[in-house]
Structures are given as C-alpha cells and as structure tokens.
Amino acid sequence: MLEVRDISKRYGNHQVLSYVSFEVKAGELAALVGPNGAGKSTLLNILANLEKPDTGHVAINGLSNQSQEIFQDLTFMLSAESLYPQLTGYDHLSYVAKLHQIPKQKMKELVERVGIGHYVKKRVASYSMGMKQKLLFTMAILPRPKLLLLDEPHVGLDPTNIIQQREMLLELQEKGTAILLSSHHLSEIEKLTHQIYFLKDTQLIEKEVRTMAYDYQLLVEDCPDLMQALNLFPTMLVQQVDQTMREVFIAEENILPFLQKIPVSKVKSLSKTSEYMEGLYRTLYVAERRNSDETMV
C-alpha cells in the first residue's frame, strides 16, 4: 500500500532525513517515534505530497504520490492549525463528505460515534484542543481510506478519548486500512502496534516490538535450566540478545512458574512490558543526549 524509497530532505545546512525507506502494507499499523525535530512531521508531509523530498520516491497503492489520484485512497490527519476557526465542525465534515461523495447519514452516524455531536455545529474558534483533535480524527476516517496518516493524534485527548481512538484505529486496521502514525505517547503505541520506526540522526531504525500480549520482560543468561523452562512455556516470546543472553517476554500467569524453573542468579533484569518502549526510547535518545551533555561540560 505505502512504499517509501530513499527519501532525503535538507533545509539549508540542516539534514533532516537521509535515504529513508520502509513499507506499510494493507492491514498494517505502524508508528513513527522520535523526539521533537527528528523529522516525523517532515516525513509525513512528504508522504502526503505536501513537501517535496530532495531524493527518493513514494508510491501509494502503486501510484506515485505526485499523482492527485492518491487522495482517493489517502487521508492525512493534520494539525489543529489546518482548521478554519470561523467555520463549524459540521462545515468541515460536510466538505469532506461532498469531496468523497459520502451520504450525509453516514457522516451523522460517525459524528455520533466519535462523540462530537453536541458541539459539531459550533464554530471551531470555540473548541478546546481535545475537541479539535476529535474533529480532525473524524474528518480523517470519514472517507474510510485505504491509507491513513496521523501526526500526533493523541494531543489534547483525555484517557477516555484515547481509548476510543485506539479502538477505532484497530477496527480500521482489521478492515484492511494501512495506518502510519507519529506519536510521543509511548504506552499507547505499545497497545496499538509492534511495527515501530524510530527516527534518529536523520535515519530510520526499524524495531519490531511484540510485547502487547505479554506482561513481563526478562533478561536471562543462558543455562541448561533456561532451555528446559523455555520448552515448558511455548507461548513465550524469546529473542537472542548476544551469545550468552536471551530476552524473554512472558504473560503474568506464567511468570512465577517460569522463575521457579531457573536459578535467580541467571535473571539479570525483570520489568513490566509497559516500561519496555520507554526503555527503548531512553537507550536511543535520552542516554545518548546525557552522555553528549557530559562530554561538553
């Protein structure tokens, strides 16, 4: 559905992206992660043909993203600044519905489901950030796109609305929509997908984080007892870290029986998987920044 090849972008002397390549297939949900200024929004703008790359090309459903035809399959949830404050939410949605030939009844049903019906006919100027985000999300999913791009969709949302948005995204994914979103909300990304792209030093680092079905992450040193224990719990996820160490992901109901099978001295770390994404982020960005700051002092 989405094919990205060798995308580079520079602003003056500042290199933002360097030969970025990846794919998101139909029915896949992927996340872009990185600190402010890493190039997430720039990349999404390039994918949606709102900015031109210096090198590379993008294909959406087999067509170059330079073609206007891509917008039959693509929608992009923009930032709140793209809304017209003097217009109502209903005005914005009516425009999208007319553009994509969507019946007004379908639009009204989605408005009620997302929960914006009580303010949709008020001017956007009176909306809070959370209200604007819900309107933007409704506009993005109304056409039932084959490819959905979202830039920081969680901004301004309370926990109830984040859960609702997650459920609707997973429903779209199940129906075959390819989804790519950027977010700083690490714990929510863990609940949405294991297909994660970290942007660092202008390049893309792909990580497959399959922790959603597990409650604990352990770092265990290889030993005969470990190998026997792994055979007893076949549903665990196990990854070889190096020649002597394995990373084990395990469900809560199996954690105590598993630990009883191996020597305590062989368990080098134990943490909840809810902390796993934050740990990856710290390793990639926070620790390096701290080391850089110490070097400069």
Side-chain angles (χ1 to χ4, degrees):
M1 171 49 65
L2 172 65
E3 297 180 14
V4 182
R5 292 289 176 267
D6 297 325
I7 292 296
S8 297
K9 184 67 178 179
R10 174 189 292 271
Y11 297 111
N13 294 324
H14 179 51
Q15 189 76 36
V16 180
L17 300 169
S18 298
Y19 301 102
V20 169
S21 297
F22 65 97
E23 294 182 7
V24 182
K25 298 178 182 178
E28 290 184 344
L29 195 162
L32 279 174
V33 176
N36 291 333
K40 302 186 300 298
S41 294
T42 298
L43 179 56
L44 288 172
N45 286 337
I46 289 172
L47 301 184
N49 197 21
L50 300 179
E51 289 190 53
K52 303 296 183 186
D54 298 329
T55 68
H57 66 275
V58 178
I60 295 171
N61 205 20
L63 295 173
S64 166
N65 75 328
Q66 306 297 308
S67 169
Q68 290 299 309
E69 292 182 43
I70 65 167
F71 293 103
Q72 297 175 6
D73 299 325
L74 161 71
T75 59
F76 185 13
M77 181 179 166
L78 297 166
S79 64
E81 288 75 19
S82 64
L83 297 171
Y84 292 90
Q86 72 274 21
L87 299 181
T88 67
Y90 192 87
D91 293 331
H92 286 81
L93 288 166
S94 295
Y95 174 76
V96 175
K98 184 176 181 180
L99 196 64
H100 292 273
Q101 299 181 332
I102 299 167
K104 283 292 180 72
Q105 183 58 34
K106 292 289 185 182
M107 184 186 88
K108 291 177 181 178
E109 290 173 2
L110 185 58
V111 163
E112 293 306 315
R113 182 175 179 191
V114 177
I116 63 175
H118 61 289
Y119 63 80
V120 73
K121 293 190 176 180
K122 295 180 181 179
R123 289 188 177 185
V124 170
S126 67
Y127 289 13
S128 67
M129 176 57 76
M131 294 162 73
K132 290 176 181 177
Q133 286 293 97
K134 291 181 73 172
L135 171 60
L136 288 162
F137 183 68
T138 308
M139 292 169 63
I141 67 173
L142 179 59
R144 285 295 177 94
K146 293 180 180 178
L147 173 62
L148 175 61
L149 305 178
L150 306 103
D151 194 4
E152 297 292 346
H154 305 119
V155 172
L157 296 183
D158 61 30
T160 300
N161 286 313
I162 288 175
I163 292 170
Q164 180 197 48
Q165 186 186 88
R166 181 202 313 153
E167 291 173 346
M168 297 184 78
L169 286 174
L170 292 174
E171 181 182 312
L172 285 169
Q173 179 193 12
E174 188 175 340
K175 292 180 178 179
T177 299
I179 302 170
L180 177 65
L181 64 87
S182 74
S183 180
H184 293 296
H185 208 301
L186 300 180
S187 61
E188 186 59 24
I189 288 175
E190 279 192 292
K191 295 180 178 69
L192 281 168
T193 183
H194 57 77
Q195 189 175 342
I196 300 171
Y197 298 108
F198 290 90
L199 274 170
K200 182 184 179 186
D201 297 333
T202 77
Q203 297 183 328
L204 206 67
I205 303 171
E206 182 177 0
K207 292 283 186 180
E208 194 168 16
V209 184
R210 294 183 176 271
T211 65
M212 290 183 289
Y214 305 97
D215 301 293
Y216 290 92
Q217 177 240 350
L218 302 87
L219 198 60
V220 185
E221 188 177 339
D222 275 340
C223 64
D225 290 326
L226 172 61
M227 303 313 297
Q228 292 177 15
L230 294 179
N231 291 329
L232 294 173
F233 301 94
T235 59
M236 292 189 304
L237 173 66
V238 183
Q239 300 175 165
Q240 191 79 43
V241 176
D242 55 33
Q243 292 182 344
T244 63
M245 206 73 64
R246 293 176 191 259
E247 192 172 37
V248 178
F249 294 92
I250 189 168
E252 185 165 8
E253 61 267 24
N254 292 328
I255 184 66
L256 289 178
F258 175 75
L259 289 174
Q260 290 170 355
K261 300 293 183 182
I262 57 177
V264 174
S265 62
K266 297 297 183 179
V267 180
K268 301 306 177 183
S269 69
L270 170 63
S271 61
K272 296 282 286 183
T273 53
S274 58
E275 303 166 358
Y276 186 70
M277 268 291 292
E278 182 176 333
L280 280 177
Y281 191 93
R282 284 178 175 275
T283 300
L284 285 169
Y285 304 108
V286 179
E288 182 175 292
R289 181 175 296 178
R290 185 183 297 120
N291 291 337
S292 176
D293 291 343
E294 289 174 355
T295 302
M296 293 174 63
V297 173

